[in-house]
Amino acid sequence: MPRMRVIAASRLEGLGEIPRSTEGHAVDALDAVEACGPDAENKPKAVLVMFSHRWLRPIWPDPEGMAHPDSVDHTKAKAMVQWAKWFKWWRIFGAGREFVNGVTVDPDLQVFFWVDFSCVNQLDPGPDMAALPAYVSACAEVLIFQTKDYDSRAWTQVELMLAFAFMTVGDKLFVISPGFQHRRQRRVTFTRYRVPDPLRGK
């Protein structure tokens, strides 16, 4: 099984975009966890987050590798960076201490995303896709980038089903929309979300 790879929110901020896997910006997930180290309660300072989304510029087939998950103005990358900053603040200073269990409150908390375009080998995605249940189970949180067609996509439905099945917090998902900004929102709105049937997706 291929080793799980993740990309740091800080790297996304520096790049200003979601990079392709072949650019080499993703790192080994275990190496990231070990590099960040544990907090005083032996919880990892590295928080792994599964990013679930619809690609905004899909092309199929795509022999030239021109498809991209983000918009030309990098809407997703910006929102991911903002969410990572918000999550760290919310977890340490906001209401996140009450609702998120098992995640560090150390000031050195670092967010790493598993996002398919950066962390799955785009030249040979099969092995990484087969390992998706293991990757999902290693994540502490799920972040959904909500677009109007998100719920109708079979693949995103599979991701949510796997999160529900293999994650201890798979029934509690964070959802953001284009333009999300970190404004020290202390509380989040909770809504019920039915686990979808991927067979009904497109």
Side-chain angles (χ1 to χ4, degrees):
M1 182 177 72
R3 292 174 68 91
M4 181 182 183
R5 300 186 69 77
V6 291
I7 185 164
S10 58
R11 178 58 62 90
L12 286 179
E13 183 174 22
L15 293 171
E17 63 180 359
I18 302 174
R20 187 178 173 89
S21 64
T22 51
E23 296 177 42
H25 293 289
V27 298
D28 183 277
L30 185 57
D31 288 347
V33 171
E34 291 179 343
C36 291
D39 66 9
E41 298 180 352
N42 206 36
K43 296 175 182 177
K45 296 179 184 178
V47 179
L48 309 187
V49 178
M50 174 188 173
F51 186 68
S52 180
H53 62 124
R54 285 292 310 264
W55 283 33
L56 298 184
R57 288 183 282 162
I59 300 173
W60 186 260
D62 184 26
E64 304 298 324
M66 298 298 293
H68 198 283
D70 208 351
S71 61
V72 293
D73 58 349
H74 313 299
T75 300
K76 284 183 186 176
K78 294 173 183 176
M80 292 168 74
V81 169
Q82 287 293 308
W83 182 88
K85 292 181 177 181
W86 170 81
F87 179 81
K88 180 175 180 176
W89 174 87
W90 182 73
R91 179 61 181 139
I92 297 172
F93 302 110
R97 284 178 176 265
E98 303 173 29
F99 298 111
V100 180
N101 296 319
V103 175
T104 184
V105 294
D106 193 279
D108 291 330
L109 181 160
Q110 299 293 324
V111 172
F112 291 82
F113 291 106
W114 181 91
V115 52
D116 50 7
F117 190 65
S118 302
C119 304
V120 171
N121 183 352
Q122 295 300 304
L123 299 178
D124 183 22
D128 285 297
M129 291 296 92
L132 187 57
Y135 297 164
V136 170
S137 68
C139 291
E141 306 293 345
V142 180
L143 176 63
I144 293 172
F145 188 84
Q146 186 72 59
T147 50
K148 63 181 181 180
D149 55 353
Y150 176 87
D151 293 331
S152 65
R153 177 66 170 161
W155 185 248
T156 56
Q157 293 176 3
V158 167
E159 291 175 338
L160 296 186
M161 182 180 66
L162 291 176
F164 185 81
F166 293 106
M167 293 177 65
T168 57
V169 296
D171 60 339
K172 297 180 178 64
L173 315 173
F174 290 94
V175 181
I176 59 174
S177 300
F180 176 83
Q181 290 286 325
H182 167 35
R183 296 191 178 95
R184 297 191 176 186
Q185 301 93 324
R186 285 191 169 273
R187 297 207 173 262
V188 295
T189 301
F190 292 93
T191 58
R192 290 186 179 273
Y193 199 99
R194 183 181 297 274
V195 178
D197 181 356
L199 294 177
R200 297 180 179 178
K202 293 184 287 185

